[in-house]
Amino acid sequence: MSYLFDPELAAAVAMMPVVEISDVPTARAHVAEMFASAFGEPDRSGVQVRDELVPGPDGAPDVRLRIYTPDRLVAPAAIYDVHGGGFILGSIDSFDGPNLRLARELGVTVVTVDYRLAPENPYPAPLEDCYAGLVWVAKNADALGIDPDRIAIHGESAGGGLCAGLALLARDRGGPSIAFQYLGVPELDDRLDTPSMRAFTDTPIWNRPNAIVSWDSYLGPGRRGTPDVPIYAAPARATDLTGLPPAYVSVMEFDPLRDEGIAYAHALMHAGVSVELHAFPGTFHGSAMVEQAAVSRREADEALVVLRRALKI
Protein backbone atom coordinates (compact mmCIF):
# COMPACT_ATOMS: atom_id res chain seq x y z
CA MET A 1 0.00 0.00 0.00
CA SER A 2 1.27 3.50 -0.80
CA TYR A 3 1.07 6.35 1.68
CA LEU A 4 1.21 10.13 1.27
CA PHE A 5 4.05 10.66 3.71
CA ASP A 6 5.46 14.09 4.41
CA PRO A 7 8.12 14.58 1.69
CA GLU A 8 10.99 14.80 4.18
CA LEU A 9 9.85 11.60 5.85
CA ALA A 10 9.22 9.81 2.55
CA ALA A 11 12.85 10.36 1.58
CA ALA A 12 13.95 8.59 4.76
CA VAL A 13 11.51 5.66 4.64
CA ALA A 14 13.39 3.84 1.89
CA MET A 15 16.53 3.80 4.07
CA MET A 16 14.77 2.66 7.23
CA PRO A 17 15.17 -0.99 8.28
CA VAL A 18 12.12 -3.23 8.41
CA VAL A 19 11.08 -3.78 12.02
CA GLU A 20 9.58 -7.24 12.55
CA ILE A 21 9.22 -8.27 16.19
CA SER A 22 8.08 -11.90 16.22
CA ASP A 23 11.66 -13.00 17.05
CA VAL A 24 11.94 -11.00 20.27
CA PRO A 25 15.69 -11.35 21.04
CA THR A 26 16.62 -10.41 17.49
CA ALA A 27 14.13 -7.53 17.49
CA ARG A 28 15.57 -6.17 20.75
CA ALA A 29 19.08 -6.07 19.32
CA HIS A 30 17.79 -4.61 16.06
CA VAL A 31 15.83 -1.84 17.75
CA ALA A 32 18.73 -0.95 20.07
CA GLU A 33 20.95 -0.52 17.00
CA MET A 34 18.26 1.53 15.25
CA PHE A 35 17.92 3.93 18.18
CA ALA A 36 21.68 4.27 18.52
CA SER A 37 21.92 5.06 14.81
CA ALA A 38 19.00 7.52 14.90
CA PHE A 39 19.97 9.46 18.02
CA GLY A 40 23.75 8.94 18.22
CA GLU A 41 25.72 9.69 21.37
CA PRO A 42 23.47 11.76 23.65
CA ASP A 43 24.41 15.25 24.81
CA ARG A 44 24.98 14.90 28.56
CA SER A 45 25.93 18.51 29.20
CA GLY A 46 24.15 20.35 31.97
CA VAL A 47 22.51 17.27 33.51
CA GLN A 48 23.59 14.99 36.36
CA VAL A 49 22.48 11.37 35.90
CA ARG A 50 22.27 8.60 38.48
CA ASP A 51 20.53 5.24 38.82
CA GLU A 52 18.60 4.21 41.91
CA LEU A 53 17.24 0.79 42.87
CA VAL A 54 13.88 1.17 44.60
CA PRO A 55 11.43 -1.34 46.08
CA GLY A 56 9.44 -3.18 43.44
CA PRO A 57 5.93 -4.61 43.67
CA ASP A 58 5.27 -7.07 46.49
CA GLY A 59 7.25 -10.24 45.90
CA ALA A 60 8.99 -8.83 42.83
CA PRO A 61 12.54 -7.58 42.24
CA ASP A 62 13.62 -4.02 42.91
CA VAL A 63 13.01 -1.54 40.13
CA ARG A 64 15.78 0.56 38.59
CA LEU A 65 15.07 4.24 38.10
CA ARG A 66 17.30 6.69 36.25
CA ILE A 67 17.18 10.22 37.61
CA TYR A 68 18.17 13.22 35.50
CA THR A 69 18.81 16.39 37.49
CA PRO A 70 19.56 19.53 35.49
CA ASP A 71 22.32 21.84 36.72
CA ARG A 72 19.87 24.70 36.24
CA LEU A 73 16.69 23.79 38.09
CA VAL A 74 13.84 26.04 37.03
CA ALA A 75 10.93 24.57 38.99
CA PRO A 76 10.34 21.90 41.68
CA ALA A 77 8.45 19.73 39.21
CA ALA A 78 9.16 16.31 37.74
CA ILE A 79 8.49 14.23 34.65
CA TYR A 80 8.07 10.50 35.20
CA ASP A 81 8.94 8.87 31.91
CA VAL A 82 7.92 5.40 30.71
CA HIS A 83 9.76 4.22 27.60
CA GLY A 84 8.08 2.69 24.57
CA GLY A 85 8.76 -0.52 22.66
CA GLY A 86 5.55 -2.47 22.28
CA PHE A 87 5.80 -3.77 25.87
CA ILE A 88 8.62 -6.09 24.72
CA LEU A 89 11.42 -3.85 23.41
CA GLY A 90 13.44 -0.83 24.46
CA SER A 91 15.31 0.22 27.56
CA ILE A 92 16.04 3.34 29.54
CA ASP A 93 19.47 3.44 27.85
CA SER A 94 17.84 3.78 24.43
CA PHE A 95 15.97 6.90 25.56
CA ASP A 96 18.81 8.69 27.36
CA GLY A 97 18.95 11.38 24.67
CA PRO A 98 15.28 12.45 24.81
CA ASN A 99 15.25 12.43 28.62
CA LEU A 100 18.45 14.45 28.84
CA ARG A 101 16.84 16.98 26.52
CA LEU A 102 13.68 17.18 28.63
CA ALA A 103 15.68 17.75 31.83
CA ARG A 104 18.03 20.30 30.30
CA GLU A 105 15.49 22.31 28.32
CA LEU A 106 12.67 22.29 30.87
CA GLY A 107 14.87 22.66 33.93
CA VAL A 108 13.05 19.96 35.92
CA THR A 109 13.92 16.55 37.30
CA VAL A 110 13.19 13.65 34.97
CA VAL A 111 12.86 10.10 36.27
CA THR A 112 12.55 7.10 33.95
CA VAL A 113 11.67 3.55 34.94
CA ASP A 114 13.37 0.35 33.80
CA TYR A 115 10.29 -1.88 33.93
CA ARG A 116 10.32 -5.60 33.22
CA LEU A 117 9.47 -6.54 29.64
CA ALA A 118 7.03 -9.04 28.18
CA PRO A 119 6.78 -11.82 27.13
CA GLU A 120 9.05 -12.99 29.94
CA ASN A 121 7.11 -10.72 32.31
CA PRO A 122 3.57 -10.20 30.99
CA TYR A 123 0.90 -7.92 32.44
CA PRO A 124 0.68 -6.84 35.22
CA ALA A 125 4.47 -6.91 35.83
CA PRO A 126 5.44 -3.95 33.57
CA LEU A 127 2.64 -1.74 34.86
CA GLU A 128 3.24 -2.67 38.50
CA ASP A 129 6.93 -1.81 38.12
CA CYS A 130 5.92 1.59 36.74
CA TYR A 131 3.54 2.11 39.65
CA ALA A 132 6.16 1.11 42.24
CA GLY A 133 8.59 3.61 40.74
CA LEU A 134 6.00 6.39 40.76
CA VAL A 135 5.16 5.65 44.41
CA TRP A 136 8.86 5.93 45.30
CA VAL A 137 9.20 9.26 43.49
CA ALA A 138 6.18 10.70 45.31
CA LYS A 139 7.36 9.44 48.70
CA ASN A 140 10.84 10.84 48.13
CA ALA A 141 9.71 14.13 46.65
CA ASP A 142 11.45 16.23 49.33
CA ALA A 143 14.78 14.48 48.83
CA LEU A 144 14.41 14.87 45.05
CA GLY A 145 13.54 18.54 45.40
CA ILE A 146 10.16 18.26 43.76
CA ASP A 147 6.59 19.14 44.63
CA PRO A 148 4.61 15.87 44.77
CA ASP A 149 1.65 17.70 43.22
CA ARG A 150 3.73 18.68 40.17
CA ILE A 151 4.56 15.28 38.67
CA ALA A 152 3.66 14.62 35.04
CA ILE A 153 3.72 11.13 33.59
CA HIS A 154 5.14 10.90 30.08
CA GLY A 155 5.27 8.05 27.60
CA GLU A 156 5.14 7.27 23.92
CA SER A 157 3.76 4.20 22.13
CA ALA A 158 3.57 1.36 24.69
CA GLY A 159 4.93 3.88 27.18
CA GLY A 160 1.90 6.05 26.47
CA GLY A 161 -0.38 3.06 27.03
CA LEU A 162 1.39 2.24 30.29
CA CYS A 163 1.01 5.87 31.38
CA ALA A 164 -2.72 5.75 30.66
CA GLY A 165 -2.95 2.56 32.72
CA LEU A 166 -0.83 4.18 35.43
CA ALA A 167 -3.24 7.13 35.67
CA LEU A 168 -6.19 4.76 36.07
CA LEU A 169 -4.33 2.67 38.64
CA ALA A 170 -3.26 5.70 40.70
CA ARG A 171 -6.84 7.03 40.67
CA ASP A 172 -8.38 3.74 41.74
CA ARG A 173 -5.77 2.93 44.39
CA GLY A 174 -5.73 6.43 45.82
CA GLY A 175 -2.08 6.54 44.83
CA PRO A 176 0.30 9.38 43.98
CA SER A 177 -1.06 12.62 42.62
CA ILE A 178 -0.49 12.97 38.87
CA ALA A 179 -0.63 16.52 37.56
CA PHE A 180 -0.67 15.65 33.86
CA GLN A 181 -0.49 12.70 31.47
CA TYR A 182 1.46 13.04 28.22
CA LEU A 183 0.32 10.22 25.95
CA GLY A 184 2.36 10.20 22.75
CA VAL A 185 1.03 7.83 20.05
CA PRO A 186 -0.34 5.59 22.83
CA GLU A 187 -0.93 1.83 22.51
CA LEU A 188 -4.27 1.40 24.26
CA ASP A 189 -6.54 -1.20 22.69
CA ASP A 190 -5.92 -4.95 22.49
CA ARG A 191 -9.03 -5.54 20.35
CA LEU A 192 -7.25 -4.30 17.20
CA ASP A 193 -10.51 -3.37 15.52
CA THR A 194 -10.25 0.32 14.63
CA PRO A 195 -10.20 1.38 10.96
CA SER A 196 -6.54 2.45 11.16
CA MET A 197 -5.52 -0.81 12.83
CA ARG A 198 -7.29 -2.84 10.16
CA ALA A 199 -5.89 -0.74 7.29
CA PHE A 200 -2.23 -0.22 8.16
CA THR A 201 -0.69 -3.67 7.76
CA ASP A 202 2.61 -2.61 6.17
CA THR A 203 3.41 0.84 7.58
CA PRO A 204 7.01 1.55 8.70
CA ILE A 205 8.11 0.71 12.26
CA TRP A 206 4.64 -0.24 13.53
CA ASN A 207 1.82 -2.07 11.80
CA ARG A 208 -0.95 -4.55 12.51
CA PRO A 209 1.29 -7.67 12.50
CA ASN A 210 3.61 -6.07 15.07
CA ALA A 211 0.62 -4.99 17.17
CA ILE A 212 -0.62 -8.60 17.29
CA VAL A 213 2.76 -9.82 18.57
CA SER A 214 2.91 -6.95 21.05
CA TRP A 215 -0.47 -7.61 22.66
CA ASP A 216 -0.08 -11.40 22.67
CA SER A 217 3.25 -10.93 24.44
CA TYR A 218 1.91 -8.43 26.97
CA LEU A 219 -1.34 -10.21 27.85
CA GLY A 220 -0.26 -13.81 27.28
CA PRO A 221 -1.45 -16.17 24.55
CA GLY A 222 -5.18 -16.32 23.93
CA ARG A 223 -6.20 -13.28 26.00
CA ARG A 224 -6.13 -10.54 23.34
CA GLY A 225 -9.66 -9.42 22.47
CA THR A 226 -11.37 -11.51 25.14
CA PRO A 227 -13.84 -9.96 27.60
CA ASP A 228 -11.66 -10.31 30.71
CA VAL A 229 -8.77 -7.98 29.73
CA PRO A 230 -8.42 -5.40 32.55
CA ILE A 231 -8.77 -1.71 31.85
CA TYR A 232 -5.32 -1.13 33.37
CA ALA A 233 -3.80 -3.35 30.66
CA ALA A 234 -5.86 -1.86 27.81
CA PRO A 235 -7.14 1.57 28.90
CA ALA A 236 -9.32 1.89 25.78
CA ARG A 237 -11.66 -0.57 27.51
CA ALA A 238 -12.28 1.77 30.45
CA THR A 239 -15.83 3.11 30.67
CA ASP A 240 -15.24 5.53 33.55
CA LEU A 241 -12.50 8.08 32.89
CA THR A 242 -13.71 10.66 35.38
CA GLY A 243 -11.22 12.09 37.83
CA LEU A 244 -8.18 11.49 35.63
CA PRO A 245 -5.47 14.13 35.17
CA PRO A 246 -5.45 16.51 32.19
CA ALA A 247 -3.90 14.96 29.11
CA TYR A 248 -2.11 15.55 25.85
CA VAL A 249 -2.59 12.90 23.16
CA SER A 250 -0.69 12.80 19.88
CA VAL A 251 -1.36 10.54 16.91
CA MET A 252 0.37 10.05 13.57
CA GLU A 253 -1.62 9.99 10.31
CA PHE A 254 -0.38 6.64 9.00
CA ASP A 255 -0.14 4.74 12.27
CA PRO A 256 -2.35 1.76 13.16
CA LEU A 257 -2.61 3.27 16.66
CA ARG A 258 -4.09 6.50 15.29
CA ASP A 259 -7.79 5.83 15.82
CA GLU A 260 -7.51 4.35 19.31
CA GLY A 261 -5.58 7.45 20.40
CA ILE A 262 -8.25 9.74 18.96
CA ALA A 263 -11.04 7.68 20.54
CA TYR A 264 -9.33 7.77 23.94
CA ALA A 265 -8.89 11.54 23.75
CA HIS A 266 -12.59 11.90 22.90
CA ALA A 267 -13.57 9.60 25.77
CA LEU A 268 -11.45 11.64 28.20
CA MET A 269 -13.15 14.83 27.00
CA HIS A 270 -16.59 13.31 27.40
CA ALA A 271 -15.63 12.39 30.98
CA GLY A 272 -14.82 16.02 31.73
CA VAL A 273 -11.03 15.68 31.48
CA SER A 274 -9.16 18.54 29.82
CA VAL A 275 -7.43 17.17 26.72
CA GLU A 276 -5.28 18.48 23.90
CA LEU A 277 -5.30 16.21 20.83
CA HIS A 278 -2.88 16.66 17.94
CA ALA A 279 -2.81 14.59 14.74
CA PHE A 280 0.43 15.14 12.81
CA PRO A 281 -0.08 14.93 9.03
CA GLY A 282 2.06 12.81 6.74
CA THR A 283 3.67 10.95 9.65
CA PHE A 284 4.00 7.34 10.76
CA HIS A 285 4.69 5.63 14.06
CA GLY A 286 8.28 6.44 15.03
CA SER A 287 8.74 9.04 12.31
CA ALA A 288 10.11 11.39 14.99
CA MET A 289 13.38 9.46 14.64
CA VAL A 290 13.83 11.43 11.41
CA GLU A 291 14.80 14.34 13.63
CA GLN A 292 15.76 16.75 10.84
CA ALA A 293 12.25 16.72 9.29
CA ALA A 294 10.28 19.88 10.01
CA VAL A 295 7.25 17.94 11.26
CA SER A 296 9.49 16.02 13.70
CA ARG A 297 11.02 19.24 15.00
CA ARG A 298 7.54 20.67 15.44
CA GLU A 299 6.46 17.58 17.39
CA ALA A 300 9.51 17.77 19.67
CA ASP A 301 9.11 21.50 20.27
CA GLU A 302 5.41 21.08 21.01
CA ALA A 303 6.19 18.50 23.70
CA LEU A 304 8.27 21.10 25.54
CA VAL A 305 5.52 23.72 25.24
CA VAL A 306 2.87 21.30 26.47
CA LEU A 307 4.92 20.14 29.46
CA ARG A 308 5.93 23.69 30.43
CA ARG A 309 2.30 24.71 30.53
CA ALA A 310 1.17 21.59 32.36
CA LEU A 311 3.83 21.88 35.06
CA LYS A 312 3.61 25.69 35.33
CA ILE A 313 7.28 26.12 34.48
Side-chain angles (χ1 to χ4, degrees), residues 200-289:
F200 299 145
T201 60
D202 61 350
T203 37
I205 309 295
W206 203 246
N207 46 54
R208 182 181 178 85
N210 281 348
I212 290 171
V213 174
S214 172
W215 280 108
D216 284 346
S217 299
Y218 186 47
L219 299 176
R223 293 196 69 196
R224 171 175 52 88
T226 62
D228 64 341
V229 174
I231 63 170
Y232 311 109
R237 290 174 172 263
T239 57
D240 178 10
L241 300 179
T242 58
L244 292 176
Y248 170 87
V249 180
S250 68
V251 297
M252 304 297 122
E253 183 175 4
F254 301 112
D255 181 356
L257 303 179
R258 181 193 67 198
D259 293 347
E260 63 200 66
I262 293 171
Y264 196 68
H266 285 173
L268 286 167
M269 291 178 200
H270 294 156
V273 177
S274 178
V275 182
E276 180 173 353
L277 169 64
H278 192 147
F280 287 90
T283 53
F284 53 88
H285 194 91
S287 61
M289 285 191 292

Side-chain angles (χ1 to χ4, degrees), residues 14 29 31 36-37 43 56 59 75 142 149 161 164 182 213 222 236 242-243 257 299 312:
V31 167
S37 175
D43 178 4
D142 287 346
D149 292 322
Y182 183 102
V213 174
T242 58
L257 303 179
E299 181 187 351
K312 300 179 173 60

Side-chain angles (χ1 to χ4, degrees), residues 11 30 68 152 207 216 288 291 309:
H30 187 183
Y68 304 81
N207 46 54
D216 284 346
E291 292 183 292
R309 184 178 67 244

Side-chain angles (χ1 to χ4, degrees), residues 24-44:
V24 173
T26 300
R28 285 174 180 164
H30 187 183
V31 167
E33 291 174 6
M34 186 172 67
F35 272 91
S37 175
F39 296 126
E41 185 63 27
D43 178 4
R44 302 182 182 279

Side-chain angles (χ1 to χ4, degrees), residues 53 102 105 151:
L53 276 179
L102 286 177
E105 299 204 18
I151 300 172

